[in-house]
């Protein structure tokens, strides 16, 4: 099993080349845009990269990125926790699902900017507003995925587990929630991205520090290269969390899917 | 001694009665086959007897120590390796480490699963091996009563025979008791001590026939001739092969 894990990790790292190739295409299009519109509108990728390196040389920038990532992760964590629990409950009880649906539509329907205004009034300009905005933006996604995952579970497995002597708690943890992961994981990946985006937007609008405020400063100075550098940094932070934490976790839990794939389509 | 006793059991789904006034008893060491046409409520009856469905009426008395259920589909957890799937049968008991491994290997060899198969995921097993793993999961708990809910209806003829032999070997020869649901009369004749026929509308047990000789001692000729005799000469079996789903009232 250890060798299988090593092989999987090896493949995962090796697939980084494909990711790099994709990013190179993106950089090429970016370069073309730069050559067409000039440095003021769109600085060259190399130029932006140089700004990123310059930013990373300052410990202050690291602190800023960490602050934003921390707030986004806090909001994401809250949404993931509440959303999963509420979603599980709604998945098992159709009546709760029916009651919850309109709230979800409501939450999705209120524009994030309105949330920020409300949350600024409630929490002031700080961590609270930013994390709460991220949480509010993520919650419906996680909730729906969790509820869907439980509602579409294989009920036959439930009966089987009951006949085998598993109690309700063990059935929930080992059978119900295990099947839920199938729909929950893609939603968590999406929610994580949403959390980062919502946090930066909230920081920008609430002047709450972090990457958002740096972006506001860059805008005020019309420093496009700096703005792009901050964007690049926040995207890198997101990718680090997704590929460093979520995807390996998923690979570990979904080993059997790898095994279930027919020969010849492994990679 | 009667291990399983159903008294006037009845059930309805959404107001539609599927079972009514079902009385049956199964003694220790007896493997009873329950046959009936498709849609007559056989599976529901088995689920009620096994405690998976709460009956609307009547009482179920279980006097055995522990039961196991083998379903029509293997119902293995796709994310667990075969060994862990079989081990799930021990969920209700405290069995740890070495004892667990010993039981696992013993039961795997009983259903002819190889050591290498135990490390595989269900998706990597063939249909027959999956059903064998499901049987192993039921046997590992050492139940004294086993419910079979049409477990072999999706298997091909050769595999079905092999599985039936396993059932005869592990249940009928080991003194266990069981209720075997099937729509295949020759299967019932091959493995059971006694055959019950469910009324085509689920209104009670229509009747019961004891199959001559003992399971495991019956050859193909006997099975064939007895099934033909039952179907042609016995009015009790007149509707067993009806294949219309019951029409809604």
């Amino acid at each position: 099993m250890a060798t299988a894990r090593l092989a999987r990790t090896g493949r995962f790292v090796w697939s980084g080349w494909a990711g790099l190739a994709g990013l190179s295409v993106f950089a090429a299009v970016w370069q073309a845009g730069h050559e067409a519109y000039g440095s003021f509108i769109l600085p060259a990728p190399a130029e932006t990269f140089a700004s990123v390196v310059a930013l990373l040389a300052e410990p202050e920038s690291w602190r800023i990125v960490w602050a934003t990532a921390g707030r986004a992760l806090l909001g994401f964590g809250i949404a993931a926790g509440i959303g999963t629990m509420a979603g599980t409950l709604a998945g098992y009880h159709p009546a709760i699902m029916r009651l919850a649906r309109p709230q979800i539509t409501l939450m999705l329907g209120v524009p994030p900017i309105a949330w920020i205004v409300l949350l600024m009034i409630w929490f002031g300009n700080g961590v609270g507003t930013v994390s709460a905005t991220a949480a509010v933006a993520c919650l419906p996604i996680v909730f729906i995925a969790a509820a869907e995952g439980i509602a579409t579970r294989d009920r036959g497995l439930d009966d089987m587990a009951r006949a085998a002597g598993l109690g309700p708690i063990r059935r929930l943890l080992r059978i119900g929630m295990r099947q839920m992961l199938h729909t929950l994981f893609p939603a968590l990946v999406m929610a994580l991205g949403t959390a980062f985006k919502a946090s930066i937007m909230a920081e920008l609008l609430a002047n709450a520090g972090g990457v958002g405020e740096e972006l506001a400063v860059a805008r005020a100075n019309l420093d496009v290269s700096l703005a792009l550098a901050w964007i690049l940094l926040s995207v890198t932070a997101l990718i680090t969390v997704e590929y460093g934490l979520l995807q390996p976790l998923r690979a570990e839990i979904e080993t059997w899917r790898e095994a279930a794939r027919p020969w010849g389509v492994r990679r | 001694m009667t291990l399983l006793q159903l008294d006037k059991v009845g059930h309805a789904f959404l107001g539609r009665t599927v079972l009514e006034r079902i009385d049956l008893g199964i003694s220790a060491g007896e493997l009873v086959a329950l046959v009936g046409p498709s849609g007559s409520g056989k599976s529901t009856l088995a689920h009620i007897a096994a405690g998976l469905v709460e009956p609307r009426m009547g009482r179920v008395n279980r006097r055995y120590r522990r039961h196991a259920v083998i379903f029509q589909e293997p119902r293995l957890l796709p994310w667990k390796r075969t060994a862990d799937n079989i081990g799930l049968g021990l969920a209700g008991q405290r069995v740890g480490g070495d004892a667990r491994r010993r039981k696992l290997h013993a039961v795997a060899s009983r259903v002819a699963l190889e050591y290498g198969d135990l490390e595989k995921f269900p998706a990597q097993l063939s249909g027959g091996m999956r059903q064998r793993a499901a049987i192993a999961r039921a046997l590992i708990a050492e139940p004294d009563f086993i419910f079979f809910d049409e477990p072999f209806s999706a298997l091909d003829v050769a595999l079905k025979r092999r599985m039936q032999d396993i059932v005869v070997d592990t249940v009928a020869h080991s003194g266990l008791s069981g209720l075997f649901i099937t729509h295949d009369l020759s299967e019932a004749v091959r493995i059971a001590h006694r055959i019950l026929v469910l009324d085509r509308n689920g209104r009670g047990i229509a009747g019961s026939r004891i199959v001559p000789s003992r399971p495991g001692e019956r050859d193909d000729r006997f099975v064939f001739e007895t099934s033909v005799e039952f179907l042609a000469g016995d009015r009790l079996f007149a509707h067993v092969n009806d294949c219309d789903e019951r029409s809604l009232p």
Side-chain angles (χ1 to χ4, degrees):
Chain A
M1 229 191 274
T3 48
R5 186 169 298 135
L6 203 67
R8 198 172 64 227
T9 313
R11 273 206 297 279
F12 180 63
V13 172
W14 188 249
S15 71
W17 287 115
L20 222 54
L23 287 179
S24 306
V25 172
F26 180 72
V29 174
W30 183 350
Q31 180 71 31
H34 160 70
E35 276 163 26
Y37 295 104
S39 258
F40 182 69
I41 302 289
L42 191 64
E47 210 176 311
T48 310
F49 199 69
S51 311
V52 170
V53 171
L55 275 179
L56 287 179
E58 294 169 35
E60 180 62 14
S61 329
W62 283 92
R63 203 191 54 72
I64 290 169
V65 172
W66 275 119
T68 300
R71 291 163 177 181
L73 285 177
L74 179 65
F76 169 73
I78 293 170
I82 297 177
T84 307
M85 277 191 283
T88 306
L89 212 62
Y92 277 111
H93 300 285
I96 296 179
M97 187 67 164
R98 252 170 260 147
L99 284 177
R101 279 260 178 226
Q103 333 285 335
I104 293 299
T105 315
L106 204 85
M107 272 182 93
L108 284 172
V110 175
I113 198 85
W115 281 114
I116 294 171
V117 170
L118 281 175
L119 292 167
M120 272 164 69
I121 296 170
W122 293 337
F123 292 113
N125 297 2
V127 182
T129 303
V130 177
S131 292
T133 309
V136 165
C138 298
L139 191 61
I141 307 172
V142 180
F143 174 84
I144 290 177
E148 204 61 32
I150 291 284
T152 57
R153 74 194 184 280
D154 182 351
R155 281 150 204 270
L157 294 182
D158 262 353
D159 277 351
M160 182 278 295
R162 202 138 57 97
L166 266 77
I169 304 286
R170 283 207 285 173
R171 282 210 302 278
L172 169 70
L173 295 177
R174 288 170 63 174
I175 312 287
M177 297 193 89
R178 193 60 185 67
Q179 292 181 73
M180 177 181 74
L181 292 182
H182 179 50
T183 53
L184 189 63
F185 253 118
L188 285 182
V189 169
M190 199 173 145
L192 183 69
T194 310
F196 269 81
K197 285 186 277 186
S199 300
I200 290 170
M201 186 170 66
E203 283 172 349
L204 191 149
L205 290 165
N207 275 326
V211 176
E213 191 170 321
E214 294 305 316
L215 276 174
V217 172
R219 186 195 63 93
N221 298 336
L222 291 179
D223 190 341
V224 185
S225 158
L226 188 64
L228 283 174
W230 279 114
I231 294 170
L232 218 57
L233 269 184
S234 52
V235 170
T236 311
L238 168 66
I239 289 176
T240 310
V241 176
E242 189 188 327
Y243 285 93
L245 193 73
L246 277 187
Q247 295 295 355
L249 196 66
R250 178 180 201 179
E252 190 60 38
I253 295 175
E254 307 266 89
T255 329
W256 68 277
R257 275 189 206 285
E258 180 88 359
R261 246 181 268 169
W263 290 100
V265 289
R266 293 262 139 144
R267 291 169 194 100
Chain B
M1 191 178 80
T2 313
L3 290 190
L4 177 75
Q5 181 75 49
L6 269 62
D7 286 323
K8 299 193 179 52
V9 164
H11 196 65
F13 286 121
L14 298 171
R16 187 167 73 93
T17 305
V18 287
L19 290 170
E20 233 182 314
R21 300 189 313 275
I22 305 286
D23 294 300
L24 71 87
I26 296 174
S27 319
E30 193 184 28
L31 181 57
V32 173
L34 179 71
V35 298
S38 170
S40 58
K42 301 188 295 290
S43 279
T44 310
L45 183 56
H47 288 188
I48 288 173
L52 294 174
V53 174
E54 212 34 58
R56 286 288 174 85
M57 282 161 283
R59 274 155 47 94
V60 180
N61 276 316
R62 304 184 187 92
R63 299 196 189 89
Y64 47 75
R65 205 167 35 90
R66 188 178 294 132
H67 74 221
V69 185
I70 298 171
F71 296 92
Q72 189 163 10
E73 324 80 35
R75 301 202 184 176
L76 301 173
L77 306 178
W79 58 86
K80 284 214 184 279
R81 290 171 198 277
T82 309
D84 298 328
N85 262 300
I86 297 173
L88 196 74
L90 290 172
Q93 306 165 44
R94 282 178 196 279
V95 184
D98 261 359
R100 192 186 178 89
R101 211 165 311 125
R102 241 177 295 121
K103 273 175 184 256
L104 186 70
H105 287 159
V107 86
S109 72
R110 250 171 111 181
V111 298
L113 275 175
E114 282 167 22
Y115 190 73
D117 299 332
L118 295 179
E119 281 306 305
K120 291 180 182 165
F121 286 104
Q124 294 167 304
L125 301 178
S126 71
M129 289 202 290
R130 279 180 219 166
Q131 195 57 279
R132 264 184 272 172
I135 296 175
R137 182 180 59 201
L139 293 178
I140 197 170
E142 293 172 9
D144 36 12
F145 198 101
I146 305 184
F147 292 95
F148 298 87
D149 182 11
E150 301 196 40
F152 311 137
S153 50
L155 302 181
D156 65 62
V157 180
L159 210 48
K160 203 184 235 185
R161 281 186 61 115
R162 183 114 193 252
M163 299 290 152
Q164 289 166 354
D165 290 341
I166 291 175
V167 170
V168 168
D169 184 48
T170 53
V171 181
H173 283 177
S174 312
L176 305 185
S177 322
L179 178 63
F180 196 106
I181 309 291
T182 180
H183 59 259
D184 178 359
L185 188 58
S186 58
E187 184 172 56
V189 167
R190 191 149 187 267
I191 63 170
H193 294 101
R194 187 156 62 95
I195 299 177
L196 294 177
V197 182
L198 189 63
D199 176 76
R200 60 196 288 227
N201 294 316
R203 309 277 187 271
I205 301 286
S208 157
R209 293 287 180 271
I210 288 175
V211 188
S213 89
R214 289 166 46 79
E217 292 166 1
R218 299 164 186 154
D219 57 8
D220 284 349
R221 189 190 184 87
F222 173 86
V223 170
F224 179 74
E225 283 172 359
T226 313
S227 329
V228 168
E229 198 182 299
F230 276 162
L231 279 175
D234 197 331
R235 281 191 54 80
L236 182 60
F237 294 94
H239 295 291
V240 166
N241 281 347
D242 285 1
C243 57
D244 305 344
E245 291 286 330
R246 207 162 2 136
S247 52
L248 289 161

